């Protein structure tokens, strides 16, 4: 589709990846404006926290043509993963210029999870504890409702734990031993780390919904 806008691509049959990047982005701007002219349109791209730098350049170019023409570009991503991606400066730039509306989606509550599993043999508290209320994870449990409940929960917990770094997992295991409420000073002494380093670890665990922050600790 984009090649039709570039005569050179039609003659030498070059793939877009072999064409100068500025020509690709220019073509994407045109594509965006043409799509917008065709009528009300929403383009949805999920998991963009995994996108490469070139993909973000292409999304930005598409938006430059699509959005002014009345189209809507909806991007789904995870925090804090996107903050270390090449797309974060682009998202922040859009927000500063009032070109983007950021809509944070909180995880499901215990009551939400209980409602979703009400017609199953699953224990709502166990599902909530294993999934952190993340809709996708809850959906995985529901998709496998015919299996043993304990097995489903254990699998999800292992999957979530496997995504932690060694430092974060060690801190989480220490917090689990210390109890439901973890005093930051005692947590530091248990791990033998500095408050500053532990604060960074704690922030990651809170963001991943392993912990909930309180006035005196986690």
């Amino acid at each position: 589709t984009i090649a039709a806008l570039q005569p050179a691509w039609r003659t030498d049959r070059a793939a877009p990846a072999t064409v100068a990047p500025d020509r690709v982005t220019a073509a994407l701007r045109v594509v965006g404006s043409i799509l917008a002219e065709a009528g009300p349109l929403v383009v949805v791209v999920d998991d963009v926290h995994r996108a490469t730098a070139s993909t973000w350049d292409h999304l930005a170019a598409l938006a430059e043509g699509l959005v002014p023409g009345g189209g809507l570009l909806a991007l789904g991503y995870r925090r804090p993963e996107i903050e270390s991606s090449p797309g974060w400066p682009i998202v922040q730039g859009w927000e500063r210029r009032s070109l983007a509306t950021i809509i944070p989606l909180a995880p499901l509550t215990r009551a939400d999870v209980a409602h979703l599993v009400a017609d199953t043999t699953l224990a709502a508290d166990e599902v909530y504890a294993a999934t952190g209320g993340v809709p996708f994870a809850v959906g995985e449990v529901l998709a496998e409702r015919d299996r043993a409940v304990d097995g489903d929960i254990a699998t999800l917990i292992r999957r979530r734990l496997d995504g932690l770094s060694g430092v974060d997992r060690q801190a989480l295991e220490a917090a689990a031993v210390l109890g439901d409420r973890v005093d930051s000073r005692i947590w530091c002494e248990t791990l033998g780390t500095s408050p500053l380093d532990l604060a960074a670890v704690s922030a990651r665990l809170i963001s991943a919904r392993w912990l909930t922050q309180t006035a005196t600790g986690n």
Side-chain angles (χ1 to χ4, degrees):
T1 301
I2 299 175
L5 300 172
Q6 296 287 355
W9 295 0
R10 294 197 301 268
T11 57
D12 60 17
R13 306 182 70 82
T18 65
V19 180
D22 58 339
R23 293 182 61 188
V24 177
T25 53
L28 281 167
R29 291 188 192 96
V30 177
V31 168
S33 62
I34 291 175
L35 290 174
E37 291 174 2
L41 178 70
V42 179
V43 176
V44 181
V45 185
D46 199 7
D47 289 337
V48 293
H49 55 278
R50 298 173 178 166
T52 62
S54 61
T55 299
W56 274 104
D57 290 340
H58 296 161
L59 286 172
L62 181 68
E64 290 176 12
L66 178 71
V67 177
L72 178 65
L73 177 63
L75 305 179
Y77 56 80
R78 296 179 190 169
R79 297 283 298 270
E81 286 93 331
I82 193 172
E83 295 177 11
S84 59
S85 81
W88 187 232
I90 294 176
V91 172
Q92 289 181 305
W94 285 340
E95 188 176 19
R96 281 194 297 269
R97 301 196 304 275
S98 298
L99 299 177
T101 300
I102 308 299
I103 306 175
L105 300 178
L108 300 175
T109 64
R110 278 187 173 82
D112 294 331
V113 173
H115 177 73
L116 290 174
V117 304
D119 296 331
T120 74
T121 58
L122 300 174
D125 287 343
E126 291 184 356
V127 174
Y128 183 81
T131 63
V134 176
F136 176 76
V138 175
E140 283 190 315
V141 173
L142 292 174
E144 299 179 1
R145 68 180 71 180
D146 293 331
R147 294 187 177 183
V149 175
D150 291 342
D152 292 342
I153 300 300
T155 298
L156 280 172
I157 292 175
R158 283 195 298 271
R159 191 178 303 164
R160 292 189 69 203
L161 286 172
D162 288 343
L164 294 175
S165 67
V167 174
D168 291 359
R169 181 159 182 169
Q170 183 181 16
L172 181 61
E173 290 173 349
V177 172
L178 291 172
D180 290 339
R181 291 184 176 272
V182 183
D183 182 272
S184 297
R185 180 182 59 81
I186 298 175
W187 200 14
C188 278
E189 293 176 356
T190 301
L191 291 169
T193 187
S194 70
L196 184 60
D197 289 340
L198 185 59
V201 172
S202 177
R204 291 195 296 270
L205 292 174
I206 292 170
S207 179
R209 290 175 289 279
W210 282 108
L211 301 175
T212 300
Q213 191 170 24
T214 66
T216 58
N218 298 296

